[in-house]
Amino acid sequence: GCCHQWIAYLKANGFAVMPNDVDDTTPVRASLGMPAKLGSCHTAVINGYVIEGHVPAEDIKRLLKEKPKALGLSVPGMPAGSPGMESPNPQAYDTLLVMKDGSTKVWAKH
């Protein structure tokens, strides 16, 4: 479904992806320190940053370039129109920069 579409999208944008399908992402997300309220259907780790949900490639590339002191990025839920969730009726959504204490700030608006 949408997770595999996001993986294909990442690969098309130059990322090497090694999928690991699990029945429940909750324990994975918790073990990496990503707050449950920021959860989505998949979790990734890229260069030590946790990437939660349908985060656009350009946001990840910016994260890797700027290297903020943060846990990672999250697009909570599964917003229509985000990568892997293509839709004829996209909705506005934010990519959040997640700090190590669980606080967030808007990283990008889409």
Side-chain angles (χ1 to χ4, degrees), residues 1-101:
C2 65
C3 298
H4 291 283
Q5 291 174 9
W6 186 70
I7 290 169
Y9 162 82
L10 284 185
K11 287 179 178 180
N13 280 276
F15 289 94
V17 181
M18 295 184 307
N20 180 21
D21 292 335
V22 297
D23 291 330
D24 183 4
T25 60
T26 303
V28 174
R29 192 170 29 259
S31 74
L32 295 170
M34 183 61 69
K37 68 181 180 182
L38 301 176
S40 185
C41 58
H42 55 263
T43 306
V45 177
I46 301 174
N47 288 9
Y49 287 108
V50 180
I51 308 298
E52 182 66 28
H54 295 267
V55 177
E58 65 265 20
D59 296 349
I60 298 169
K61 289 176 182 180
R62 177 180 161 210
L63 179 79
L64 297 175
K65 181 179 178 184
E66 294 183 16
K67 297 181 174 120
K69 291 185 180 182
L71 179 67
L73 298 175
S74 175
V75 171
M78 298 169 63
S82 60
M85 290 292 297
E86 287 71 18
S87 169
N89 301 309
Q91 65 187 76
Y93 67 93
D94 295 334
T95 298
L96 303 176
L97 179 68
V98 182
M99 307 312 289
K100 293 182 181 184
D101 67 0

